Amino acid sequence: MNSTQHSFTMQLPFTNQRSTLMTLLFLGLFITSNAQPVPMKWGKVPAEDLNMTTYEADPDADAVVLGAYEMVYVNMRQEYAVSYEVHIRMKILTQEGVDRADITIPYGKKERLTGLQAQTINQGETTKVSKKDVFDEEVTKTYSRKRFTFPNVQVGSVIEYRYTLESPYAGILDTWYFQDDIPVRRSECRFSVPLYIEYVMITNTDRPFDIKEDKRISIGNDEGRIYRFVMEDMQGLEEETYITTMTDYLNNIQLQAAKLTQPNGIINRYWKDWPDLIDTWWDADSGGKQVKNKGNNKKILQDVELATSIKDDKERAVAIYNFIKNNYTWNERFSDYAQEKKLNIAYEKSAGNSAEINLSLLASLLDSGIEAHPVRISTRSHGRIQKLYPIVAQFNHVVILARIDGKEYLLDAIDKDLTFGMLHPQSLNLQGLLLERTKQKIPTWIDLIPNKSTEIVNINLQVGEDEPLAELTGVYTGYSAWGKRYQRRTNDEEDYIEERLGDLYDFEVESVEFNTKKPERFAEVVKLKVEDAVTTSADNIYINPFLMEQTEERIFTLEKRAYPVDIAAPYMDKYILNLTIPEGYEVAELPENIKMTLPDGSGSYFYMIEQKNNILQLRSEETLKKPIFFPEEYEALKELFDLIFEKEAEQIILKKK
């Protein structure tokens, strides 16, 4: 088990399509109940848990979370406004489950993590984690993590740990996740909140809480309420191919401050609606003021002046985009706020986070007379945006919308292999919020439309008594081209080719040529000797016709899937093999031609092989026309990809005449 947030979550980092989202103010919303004792006592493990060999609700589970508990105290009168007390207990059921013994707990630079205890409980024996075996690691300038491994863990062990995290950040509380990639028998969180601060709660769940209650309490000299939420018997949600982030699908609660009543009676309201969230960003020193105050970007505007002298608006915008893209190196950190005090500082370092780069682009476009606006988004790995309430923590990136001659272009200058009008793949997350100040109270959402990808691979194959020879010609556009450009730029030729050819068969490369003159296109020509993809016996030649293009393993393995398949961008992959039948041989066996189309026509695959004189030509084409397939479409999609996997493994057999 790995804890990747302060709140209970393990290895799995979307908003859940199955969930019902609600916004509630924490004032008298639930039934009142008596205070409840803590659900687990440290070290007191019931005999039935120690003796458990399988989890009845999921007999195939490698491990089960027996209990996850968090108590959150909010008190703005203290040095640390928020305190999180966390206790996690887990049962190891198989050898694979032993891997859950590695734990990491992150915490911020201004936060304090104390009281960490961890122990392994076996029948008649308890082994504690020593302080010397807990490692403190600085991950970035803003956060660190504690890391440790439970000792003496074996099949049948119960492991548990607890700690307290103190934080000054009361505006946005950590999300609590009730679910994980393994079953969770019981998960509970409680919030102790003084009445002088109100929170908005967003629940993302696919069923009602098993327990939901509150009680009026005293918090020092203040009145407050304590809220209790319990979910039991949560199934594990296993991550699979084509997913953004699993946390969108895990049952959870988010809390964000809405109103603070000060002792003098003054009321402060926070992010009360979408226009307020937009205004807050524009008024922030690390947000909109970086663009509005030209002193923050004077150096950039001076250096980009040559590009701004171009008369044609589109050509000028492209030149500015390329200037910013080529004069920055992205530090691979997404953010919707600048980290440096001024954009000029990041520019002079030739490095910055995603906000610093794209806000430099925004400032340059505006200064040149191009209409442009920031669009605040959430990256795929950060999660889907829910539109019910302006939860500020759900954003972590900003891209630019440029309007030129009646057309709109979404720009993302963080990656040198991107082209004008192309978003980074991580930015392809449905919609973003347009940060344009208007009198309208309704927010404007911008569709983050992906560029279509195409991949056309043509192979000419010669087989016979000599070593088989092949010439591969590949032409790629869209995100296929982006991926090839990125791999080629970040690897030397040998490493690129090794990754390109894969591990399924052995090849000996004779020559390689690349064509990258057109930025939106990538082309390659590879001549190589084919080894074990073609085998010869006394009378037959056996050929695996897809060579390096053969799918190495099944794309989908789950029989059912409770969350969407998100491929990010539609694509079309075409493969053509021209095989010259060697003299003295004839066809003994060919794969069957086949065509399959998804019920709504959104995807298809065809495979056709035919002989013309002494040439065998195989053509296959795989197409998905939309980026997202919902759970009810999964069965047909899995069938399509299983068919592709099976067809690509079929052989061509030639025999001597």
Side-chain angles (χ1 to χ4, degrees), residues 1-3 5-6 42 83-89 101-107 112-120 127-137 144-151 159-166:
M1 182 179 84
N2 290 318
S3 179
Q5 300 191 24
H6 303 146
W42 181 253
S83 176
Y84 303 87
E85 295 180 358
V86 178
H87 183 184
I88 308 295
R89 178 179 290 168
D102 296 325
I103 305 296
T104 59
I105 308 172
Y107 59 96
R112 183 171 65 184
L113 198 153
T114 62
L116 175 62
Q117 293 179 284
Q119 59 188 10
T120 304
T127 310
K128 299 183 182 298
V129 174
S130 171
K131 289 184 178 180
K132 66 180 178 60
D133 294 323
V134 178
F135 303 94
D136 236 326
E137 301 174 342
S144 299
R145 65 186 178 193
K146 288 188 183 291
R147 178 175 60 83
F148 63 91
T149 299
F150 283 97
I159 57 177
E160 66 175 346
Y161 66 98
R162 64 181 179 180
Y163 63 89
T164 298
L165 178 78
E166 296 174 301

Side-chain angles (χ1 to χ4, degrees), residues 1-13 68 86 88 100 103-106 161 163 175-181 246-247 250:
M1 182 179 84
N2 290 318
S3 179
T4 57
Q5 300 191 24
H6 303 146
S7 51
F8 165 59
T9 180
M10 300 178 206
Q11 296 171 336
L12 298 179
V86 178
I88 308 295
R100 302 274 169 173
I103 305 296
T104 59
I105 308 172
Y161 66 98
Y163 63 89
T175 302
W176 177 259
Y177 294 94
F178 295 89
Q179 205 168 7
D180 196 15
D181 65 332
M246 286 299 295
T247 52
L250 305 178

Side-chain angles (χ1 to χ4, degrees), residues 145-357:
R145 65 186 178 193
K146 288 188 183 291
R147 178 175 60 83
F148 63 91
T149 299
F150 283 97
N152 197 24
V153 176
Q154 53 195 270
V155 175
S157 295
V158 171
I159 57 177
E160 66 175 346
Y161 66 98
R162 64 181 179 180
Y163 63 89
T164 298
L165 178 78
E166 296 174 301
S167 173
Y169 307 116
I172 303 169
L173 301 185
D174 286 347
T175 302
W176 177 259
Y177 294 94
F178 295 89
Q179 205 168 7
D180 196 15
D181 65 332
I182 59 173
V184 178
R185 189 174 67 181
R186 192 177 195 281
S187 179
E188 176 174 343
C189 61
R190 302 179 188 180
F191 301 95
S192 171
V193 183
L195 295 185
Y196 60 75
I197 183 168
E198 293 181 11
Y199 282 86
V200 167
M201 177 185 72
I202 303 293
T203 63
N204 178 11
T205 60
D206 60 359
R207 73 180 210 198
F209 291 105
D210 291 291
I211 299 174
K212 182 173 69 173
E213 56 190 31
D214 79 357
K215 180 180 176 61
R216 190 97 174 208
I217 59 172
S218 295
I219 302 176
N221 296 325
D222 299 305
E223 290 294 308
R225 304 194 78 85
I226 186 168
Y227 303 90
R228 180 175 177 233
F229 303 89
V230 178
M231 299 193 84
E232 297 177 337
D233 301 321
M234 294 279 93
Q235 68 175 24
L237 286 186
E238 187 176 343
E239 185 172 3
E240 201 182 21
T241 307
Y242 292 134
I243 193 67
T244 50
T245 173
M246 286 299 295
T247 52
D248 279 338
Y249 301 107
L250 305 178
N251 292 322
N252 66 72
I253 291 180
Q254 290 178 286
L255 290 95
Q256 177 174 286
K259 185 176 76 172
L260 172 66
T261 303
Q262 299 186 28
N264 58 9
I266 295 177
I267 296 176
N268 301 109
R269 299 184 183 275
Y270 307 99
W271 307 295
K272 58 183 181 292
D273 52 28
W274 291 106
D276 184 50
L277 183 144
I278 292 170
D279 289 341
T280 299
W281 184 88
W282 276 107
D283 293 338
D285 290 337
S286 56
K289 284 187 177 181
Q290 289 286 341
V291 178
K292 292 189 297 183
N293 184 352
K294 290 192 175 182
N296 290 325
N297 48 69
K298 183 178 179 180
K299 176 65 175 173
I300 303 168
L301 299 182
Q302 287 175 346
D303 289 357
V304 81
E305 188 174 359
L306 183 62
T308 61
S309 63
I310 300 172
K311 291 184 179 181
D312 181 83
D313 287 350
K314 172 74 179 296
E315 291 180 7
R316 183 165 72 254
V318 171
I320 293 171
Y321 171 83
N322 288 330
F323 177 88
I324 296 297
K325 181 182 71 172
N326 294 327
N327 281 277
Y328 267 106
T329 296
W330 179 41
N331 62 15
E332 299 191 1
R333 296 177 189 168
F334 286 106
S335 180
D336 44 349
Y337 287 96
Q339 184 175 5
E340 301 287 0
K341 291 184 178 180
K342 294 183 178 182
L343 293 179
N344 285 331
I345 298 174
Y347 174 70
E348 289 174 345
K349 292 180 178 179
S350 298
N353 65 23
S354 65
E356 288 161 343
I357 296 172

